[in-house]
Amino acid sequence: MLEARCAYVIIIMAVYWCTEVMPLAVTSLMPVVFFPLLGVQTSKKVCLQYLNNTNMLFFGGLIVAISVEQWNLHKRIALRVLLILGVKPALLMLGFMAVTAFLSMWISNTATTAMMVPIVQAVLDQLDSTENDVTLVEQASGQTNTVIELEEKITSESTAVHVVSNEQVTDDPKSSEEKKMRKRICKGMTLCVCYAASIGGTATLTGTGPNVVLKGQMNQLYPNNNDVVNFASWFGFAFPNMVLMLVLAWLWLQCSFMGLNFKKSWGFGTEKTAKEKAAYSVLKAEMKKLGPMSYAEFNILLLFVLLVLLWFSRNPGFVKGWAARLFPGGEKYITDSVPAVFIALLLFILPAHKPKCKAWNPSMSDPEQTEEDKKKPFLSAPLLDWNVVQRKMPWSIVLLLGGGFALADASANSGLSAWMGHQMTPLGSIPPWSIATVIALITAVITECTSNVATATLFLPIFSSLAESIKIHPLYIMLPATLSASFAFMLPVATPPNAIVFSYGHIHVLDMVKAGIVMNMIAVCCVTLAINTWGRPMFELDTFPAWANSTRNQ
């Protein structure tokens, strides 16, 4: 009876999430009301899921990301990398993709895309205006040369020649071909940003919502899982997959929008054209606007690097991490959320400007110092202000994650997960690799229509039950599903980065669908390869773990 009540609430929420009749975050609050009323779970247990350990990890990571955005550090990194890589068409696209993917590993995909697309647009506008200037000059000189040559032969026909030459310019097939090529380059350059943002987010545990959902569901469904999914283990598995996908996506976009002309695209043995010089000058001008690196930016960069190091070295696996070495029994008490919140706290303590040393003796103070300078406090405002966090924090995602964790916990405790697992036992005759591939495909298709977090939240508990029923490692099915939830490449409404790029008007829905179908196929193939090669030894996917078995038998 409890299973049916729990299933009823989950079905209602699934319909609401897919149709968005209410905001996603509001729908996520339904378990707080309906689980206690229907006797599925106590209110106390349900409410605890909304700000659990995994949500605190995500919350701390978001605060660090907001500080990076606040001080424009992400823009400085982006421009610096683009200036280093160069402005040849192929390298420019690779630069945009590499920078976007790297930034979306640490800050939200939406913020990364919103920052990168204006830079891409500025470069494309400069390329267009430069090309138009060059074309006008070439046309003018071409017409003059034609007139001079013909005047030498027949002076009386000079007027007719002008008319002919003008007609040739307007109907020139070469110029129309160049316009088409420019349009294709614009489409490729803008599409590459939203695709790279979605791909880059998969590389880190806090990079995108579905990854955090997996971490939370694993802790919820398998409390004795020995912290199998942590920041270091996820990065070791997902980062190589991200690099492979990024390279294949770049080659596909090159092939479909620019053509694989290595001499033209890469510029082997050629000098910089006027367009390339113009693009380089735009990037340089944007960099100049930022000015020299500030004290606040330097501090945030140091804190960011420290956070990544703390995450990686907490429990590396092959050696004892700092959690076990510095604190007795620390590996049991300390999780990835501890360093995330620690760095977040420092952001509200450390000053944004260098502390000013004041003389103790007023007579020895600097005579050039004004009264206003003397009144200024010793320490400036902190690196981050809470009002900024309140304004920029995506609270809806935090609630959405909490609602998902409440559903997973209720389905496990009510017996719904065990019942579903029993129904799926006949699937044990199908090879595991084919099940994982089909699940990746299904998830990639569904995530085109629904939120990626909602997709992961709804399907991961089902897939864990499936894995238990056919006695394969839960991660063998849950990892492909989690990654595929981020592969929304086909529609503008599928994910915010797609919508941002679409709003600039360079691409049509059909362009995105055509490119996105192949991107989905590339993504599913890469995930299948990853889970069946380096994923196997990393997570010991060939064995059915004791912690999964004991959970099922409870």
Side-chain angles (χ1 to χ4, degrees):
M1 195 66 184
L2 277 181
E3 300 97 308
R5 291 173 185 174
C6 184
Y8 172 72
V9 176
I10 290 173
I11 289 166
I12 294 291
M13 288 180 70
V15 171
Y16 278 31
W17 269 335
C18 293
T19 55
E20 292 190 40
V21 289
M22 289 198 302
L24 297 178
V26 177
T27 303
S28 304
L29 295 170
M30 289 173 76
V32 177
V33 178
F34 291 107
F35 282 160
L37 288 179
L38 295 173
V40 177
Q41 242 183 350
T42 64
S43 179
K44 188 178 179 180
K45 278 189 175 179
V46 175
C47 293
L48 281 173
Q49 305 307 322
Y50 281 82
L51 211 59
N52 62 13
N53 171 56
T54 309
N55 241 337
M56 287 307 292
L57 164 66
F58 191 58
F59 183 71
L62 284 173
I63 288 177
V64 175
I66 288 167
S67 71
V68 171
E69 288 176 48
Q70 174 72 7
W71 291 98
N72 262 342
L73 182 61
H74 59 325
K75 191 171 184 180
R76 186 179 295 279
I77 293 167
L79 292 168
R80 176 60 61 198
V81 173
L82 289 170
L83 286 169
I84 290 167
L85 280 175
V87 288
K88 298 289 180 188
L91 288 173
L92 195 61
M93 181 183 274
L94 181 63
F96 285 138
M97 291 183 80
V99 168
T100 307
F102 173 76
L103 291 173
S104 66
M105 285 163 60
W106 313 106
I107 65 177
S108 79
N109 299 354
T110 308
T112 306
T113 309
M115 187 271 297
M116 285 300 294
V117 175
I119 297 174
V120 174
Q121 186 64 44
V123 170
L124 290 173
D125 288 345
Q126 190 61 41
L127 288 175
D128 274 358
S129 62
T130 309
E131 190 153 327
N132 289 336
D133 292 345
V134 170
T135 308
L136 286 170
V137 169
E138 284 174 356
Q139 285 175 8
S141 61
Q143 284 179 20
T144 308
N145 291 340
T146 309
V147 171
I148 291 166
E149 286 170 13
L150 289 171
E151 273 184 347
E152 287 174 358
K153 293 180 183 179
I154 310 162
T155 313
S156 60
E157 288 180 33
S158 62
T159 313
V161 171
H162 276 286
V163 176
V164 172
S165 64
N166 284 338
E167 284 175 2
Q168 283 173 348
V169 169
T170 52
D171 298 331
D172 186 8
K174 191 180 174 184
S175 65
S176 65
E177 188 64 35
E178 281 176 1
K179 279 180 186 176
K180 284 180 185 176
M181 188 62 190
R182 278 210 303 269
K183 278 185 181 178
R184 285 201 298 271
I185 288 173
C186 285
K187 287 175 183 179
M189 289 288 187
T190 47
L191 268 179
C192 80
V193 172
C194 62
Y195 287 172
S198 295
I199 293 168
T202 62
T204 56
L205 197 55
T206 55
T208 188
N211 305 357
V212 186
V213 172
L214 173 70
K215 169 72 174 166
Q217 303 274 19
M218 285 296 291
N219 292 346
Q220 207 70 260
L221 300 169
Y222 310 108
N224 303 316
N225 67 45
N226 304 321
D227 199 26
V228 66
V229 177
N230 56 39
F231 192 89
S233 66
W234 178 270
F235 188 83
F237 168 73
F239 182 74
N241 180 65
M242 184 271 280
V243 172
L244 178 64
M245 279 182 60
L246 203 67
V247 171
L248 292 175
W250 172 62
L251 287 172
W252 163 240
L253 291 172
Q254 276 285 304
C255 190
S256 55
F257 291 106
M258 297 182 185
L260 288 172
N261 183 339
F262 283 98
K263 191 173 181 183
K264 194 174 180 182
S265 296
W266 289 85
F268 291 138
T270 60
E271 288 184 11
K272 276 187 183 178
T273 63
K275 288 191 292 178
E276 287 159 10
K277 285 176 183 173
Y280 191 80
S281 66
V282 167
L283 295 174
K284 220 166 181 181
E286 287 292 319
M287 191 72 180
K288 200 173 180 182
K289 281 180 194 173
L290 292 176
M293 194 170 191
S294 66
Y295 179 78
E297 283 178 88
F298 184 72
N299 271 356
I300 284 168
L301 183 61
L302 283 179
L303 290 175
F304 174 72
V305 172
L306 177 62
L307 175 59
V308 175
L309 288 175
L310 288 173
W311 269 337
F312 276 115
S313 58
R314 180 185 67 83
N315 186 18
F318 54 91
V319 291
K320 267 191 173 184
W322 59 264
R325 285 183 182 276
L326 299 179
F327 305 95
E331 66 275 9
K332 291 179 184 176
Y333 293 97
I334 299 168
T335 63
D336 285 330
S337 59
V338 174
V341 176
F342 170 65
I343 297 297
L345 287 173
L346 288 180
L347 289 167
F348 293 99
I349 297 168
L350 296 178
H353 303 284
K354 275 185 184 177
K356 292 187 177 179
C357 295
K358 292 184 179 180
W360 293 107
N361 188 352
S363 61
M364 293 176 67
S365 61
D366 186 2
E368 293 181 10
Q369 209 174 26
T370 61
E371 283 299 319
E372 284 183 19
D373 287 338
K374 287 176 185 177
K375 286 177 185 176
K376 281 181 183 177
F378 174 69
L379 288 175
S380 69
L383 289 166
L384 199 57
D385 183 52
W386 180 250
N387 290 329
V388 175
V389 175
Q390 254 186 324
R391 193 171 66 251
K392 291 192 173 184
M393 175 66 70
W395 298 105
S396 58
I397 302 293
V398 176
L399 287 174
L400 191 55
L401 289 171
F405 298 150
L407 288 186
D409 191 47
S411 62
N413 292 332
S414 66
L416 178 62
S417 293
W419 179 83
M420 287 173 66
H422 183 69
Q423 304 307 309
M424 292 185 278
T425 307
L427 291 171
S429 57
I430 302 171
W433 68 266
S434 58
I435 293 175
T437 306
V438 169
I439 279 171
L441 271 170
I442 291 168
T443 312
V445 169
I446 291 170
T447 198
E448 296 290 350
C449 312
T450 57
S451 153
N452 57 2
V453 177
T455 304
T457 301
L458 289 170
F459 285 101
L460 286 183
I462 298 171
F463 296 150
S464 76
S465 302
L466 168 61
E468 289 172 35
S469 66
I470 60 178
K471 297 289 181 185
I472 63 171
H473 200 299
L475 285 176
Y476 193 80
I477 292 178
M478 293 171 81
L479 279 174
T482 303
L483 289 169
S484 299
S486 297
F487 300 152
F489 299 123
M490 285 173 58
L491 297 171
V493 295
T495 185
N498 291 12
I500 290 168
V501 164
F502 185 76
S503 68
Y504 275 74
H506 290 299
I507 51 176
H508 304 292
V509 175
L510 197 60
D511 296 321
M512 197 172 269
V513 171
K514 283 178 184 174
I517 287 172
V518 179
M519 281 298 302
N520 274 352
M521 289 165 63
I522 288 169
V524 170
C525 289
C526 287
V527 169
T528 306
L529 176 70
I531 205 73
N532 289 296
T533 50
W534 65 85
R536 280 179 182 272
M538 277 191 70
F539 296 107
E540 299 176 351
L541 299 178
D542 291 324
T543 59
F544 185 64
W547 46 261
N549 198 29
S550 62
T551 307
R552 180 167 165 70
N553 292 335
Q554 279 177 356

